[in-house]
Amino acid sequence: MDRSTSGRRRDVRRVTFVLPQVGGAQQQCSGHCSGINAMCVLKQPADSGSLMRLWTASRDSLVKVWDCNGTQSVESAVCVGEYEGHIDWVNDVVVVNRDLVATCSSDCTVRVWSDQQHGSLECYSGHSDYVTGLCCPESDDARLFSCGLLGEVFQWDISGGKSKPVESLSKKDVGSNSVYSIACDVSGNLVSAGSASGVVYMMDTRTGRVEFELMGHGDTVRDVVMSSDGSTLVSGSSDHTAKVWDTKQRRCIHTLAMHTDSVWCIEKADSDARVIFSAGRDGCVYKTDTRDLMCDLVVREKTPVTALSAGHGFGAVWVGTEESSVRCYSDAEDIDESRACTVGSLPSLRSRKIFESTGDCHPLPTCSDATVTIPGIPAIVDVNLLTDKLHVLSKDSEGHVVLWDVAKACKIKEFGVCDFVEKQREMFDPTQSALTWFQPDSSLGVVAGHLTPSNCFSCETYTRQLGYEKAPADEKVNLAEQMLNILFSRWKKAKTQGSDEDMTFNLDDDGSSSVFKFAEGVSPAVMVSGDDHSVPWKKSCWEMDGSEDVPEWVVRCIMRHEYPVSKQLKMPFVLMPLKGSNLPSMSQSRLTAPRVLQVQKMVEYVAKRLEGKGYECSKEPIYWSQNEGKAPKKSPSKKKKHFIVLTCNGMTVPWDFTLAAVRQWMWKRPEDLHIEYSFRSSSDSIVLPKIKIPI
């Protein structure tokens, strides 16, 4: 029963469960399962046992930490931890100092993490839309700058742990012009912000104003880098060019046109930004000297490049793409002039010293194979929720199709590479027509389900349908309640231990009172969205300790069994004799029953009522799928029997249909469902419904 919430702050925060692609110890040690958005490296001390540390930020909402080992160059990379807290794409990652790392996300937050503990120290909320970029001055580890959509550029004081920005730098001058990239000089006094309009805004953080604008790009500025002294700026744009700017003269001095599509990444190879790496949608990674305009193609990926990081001092460049893998390529310190080209202002003006035709306008790359590859897991790119609303069909980026059991939070069948649409048709089951209680999603490269308090409690099923054969025949459970109970079981157990409520719940060893049981070794993550009074967070369901900020509507559900009872759980219908059957009407023909009621129980109801009026009734099951021995054996008796049959719209209703399935697939009208009963002999023909698969 739902209590009144008058006087309370309405909590509508969304809860999301994330099903892991791998389980057990592999879950944390594996690579990413979606595209790479950003990377950064830091040279390690001589006594650390590794050459450098690499951080990778992904669209799977995770940041992973890798120790890169080798003698003189990078030869291997080992995952030593991950940062879990963001609930959407992680768009940038920067090293503040050897102890702190900062990240930003499309969940509108900036987080600062301890590199030693791999835990979130502070979550900064203040952005009103996606946070797209970060930078921090090398000389000051107390300040951090972030940029985002709606023209927001913020300055944060991360030494004092303030959760609001110290200052908004751009709103007055930039307006709502979205900012996609940000960079600063070594002092942090000069900040550049690349915008969707193609303008690079130059800001003085001491005054909080835009001092001047660099105009010349014809499309969104996707990335900017600045020399340490702030005198040189390099920008990459969706107009297919990179530009070199002299900030003292406030003008463009070079336009680099070696790319044939959007330039998404710019990385400087030295502190004065003389040599840069650039990459983007065309998959090409170019190394360019911005003074003599010599450039060379380092590598060409098969998919667009979304992240770059130079391995300073180790002759390496790390490359991340829209795929989930990360690769390291060997890079010579100097550009090989014997094979390099001079870039002009337009692609048609390129002058190459050596040109080897490859069938397009790019030269052959210097690197054909990566020295180190951090393999990722193919991202899930499509999901389909089956009619029972308990199973999900997924397809990954390589075409593999998998069936998931949501109640067990794991894969139950792998079909290999096959046609996803055809597999949906094959798995279609019209006997079920449950309402959608969670919204399936694959935007993070995994199978996820969103639960909202307004509609997640609209679906229930019989306990026996979940495999509990000894449960009472009429016992039903609400699917959202069961999912919330197991997701927050550890939180609930931590909250109730030692309290008066501790003995009021029949908890299992894992603290769960749910009929859902996750498979062994599987640890789904829980993500909770934020609002004006709370920040978003993400955590493994088995790692909760009671300190988490759980939405009030979830607390009421799992602690007091209170949730809004949906009117859609039951359905009105009319039950009457078939015209011409000469059978009597029921004492009450207009009825209401659960949506999940099976037709078989309706047949038993009709038989009981007719037998009470002196009719001799026989029952012969009619199933949509006459398999697994469901059809009963024929009686050897020669006595003529009258079998009860239910019809709807002139078609025989299968016994394994639910009431909701009859309405959706057979009735198809807005008014109340009408079902008719009659007798048939064993020789009468049966007309089963013809259902068009809605795919």
Side-chain angles (χ1 to χ4, degrees), residues 219-279:
D219 208 335
T220 303
V221 178
R222 299 299 300 267
D223 204 2
V224 289
V225 296
M226 192 184 297
S227 61
S228 295
D229 61 3
S231 62
T232 302
L233 176 79
V234 184
S235 58
S237 170
S238 295
D239 66 6
H240 305 185
T241 68
K243 289 183 180 290
V244 185
W245 308 82
D246 186 321
T247 59
K248 293 182 178 179
Q249 299 181 35
R250 303 184 180 183
R251 69 183 183 90
C252 175
I253 56 177
H254 298 299
T255 297
L256 311 177
M258 54 277 193
H259 290 279
T260 57
D261 211 326
S262 299
V263 181
W264 290 347
C265 314
I266 301 288
E267 173 77 0
K268 59 182 182 180
D270 47 38
S271 61
D272 61 2
R274 173 172 180 170
V275 178
I276 64 159
F277 293 97
S278 61

Side-chain angles (χ1 to χ4, degrees), residues 299-509:
V299 66
R300 187 171 187 181
E301 294 283 357
K302 296 179 180 179
T303 56
V305 176
T306 51
L308 285 176
S309 188
H312 303 288
F314 295 103
V317 57
W318 291 92
V319 178
T321 68
E322 289 184 338
E323 295 179 339
S324 51
S325 298
V326 177
R327 285 175 277 274
C328 179
Y329 294 93
S330 177
D331 170 58
E333 185 174 345
D334 299 317
I335 296 176
D336 184 359
E337 294 187 6
S338 65
R339 54 164 286 118
C341 65
T342 302
V343 280
S345 297
L346 295 171
S348 60
L349 299 179
R350 296 176 187 173
S351 172
R352 305 189 185 282
K353 292 186 175 180
I354 294 180
F355 181 81
E356 298 180 68
S357 176
T358 58
D360 56 29
C361 55
H362 293 287
L364 291 172
T366 58
C367 298
S368 57
D369 298 310
T371 56
V372 176
T373 298
I374 300 175
I377 301 169
I380 290 176
V381 296
D382 203 355
V383 289
N384 176 256
L385 185 59
L386 301 186
T387 54
D388 65 355
K389 303 303 187 287
L390 281 169
H391 293 86
V392 174
L393 205 61
S394 72
K395 183 183 76 170
D396 67 22
S397 57
E398 295 182 352
H400 294 92
V401 178
V402 172
L403 181 64
W404 299 75
D405 187 330
V406 174
K408 296 179 180 178
C410 68
K411 306 173 185 178
I412 57 174
K413 192 169 185 179
E414 299 186 17
F415 301 101
V417 178
C418 61
D419 187 290
F420 188 58
V421 174
E422 287 302 316
K423 185 56 65 174
Q424 291 179 56
R425 293 178 179 274
E426 180 184 326
M427 301 294 293
F428 174 71
D429 180 9
T431 65
Q432 303 291 324
S433 182
L435 291 175
T436 300
W437 57 281
F438 71 91
Q439 185 62 43
D441 182 44
S442 61
S443 61
L444 300 182
V446 294
V447 174
H450 304 303
L451 299 169
T452 55
S454 60
N455 58 16
C456 72
F457 297 108
S458 60
C459 186
E460 61 183 10
T461 189
Y462 288 102
T463 309
R464 287 187 177 183
Q465 294 291 107
L466 298 173
Y468 294 86
E469 298 296 337
K470 295 182 179 180
D474 58 348
E475 182 181 275
K476 299 186 297 294
V477 292
N478 188 284
L479 298 184
E481 181 188 21
Q482 300 308 309
M483 177 58 78
L484 291 172
N485 270 325
I486 190 168
L487 288 176
F488 292 93
S489 59
R490 293 294 174 88
W491 183 90
K492 177 179 177 179
K493 192 172 184 179
K495 284 292 187 181
T496 56
Q497 280 179 342
S499 70
D500 294 338
E501 294 182 87
D502 191 28
M503 302 304 293
T504 62
F505 302 103
N506 182 22
L507 304 180
D508 296 332
D509 292 338

Side-chain angles (χ1 to χ4, degrees), residues 507-520:
L507 304 180
D508 296 332
D509 292 338
D510 64 357
S512 172
S513 57
S514 174
V515 297
F516 283 10
K517 298 299 175 186
F518 293 159
E520 184 178 355

Side-chain angles (χ1 to χ4, degrees), residues 162-180:
K162 295 182 179 179
S163 60
K164 294 294 181 183
V166 176
E167 193 172 13
S168 178
L169 299 176
S170 65
K171 202 66 177 176
K172 180 180 178 181
D173 301 301
V174 180
S176 59
N177 188 10
S178 294
V179 178
Y180 283 89

Side-chain angles (χ1 to χ4, degrees), residues 188-226:
N189 293 330
L190 185 64
V191 169
S192 62
S195 70
S197 65
V199 177
V200 179
Y201 295 95
M202 304 301 296
M203 306 173 190
D204 189 328
T205 61
R206 293 164 293 189
T207 63
R209 296 195 303 266
V210 174
E211 294 297 317
F212 58 95
E213 300 173 1
L214 300 175
M215 293 182 288
H217 281 298
D219 208 335
T220 303
V221 178
R222 299 299 300 267
D223 204 2
V224 289
V225 296
M226 192 184 297

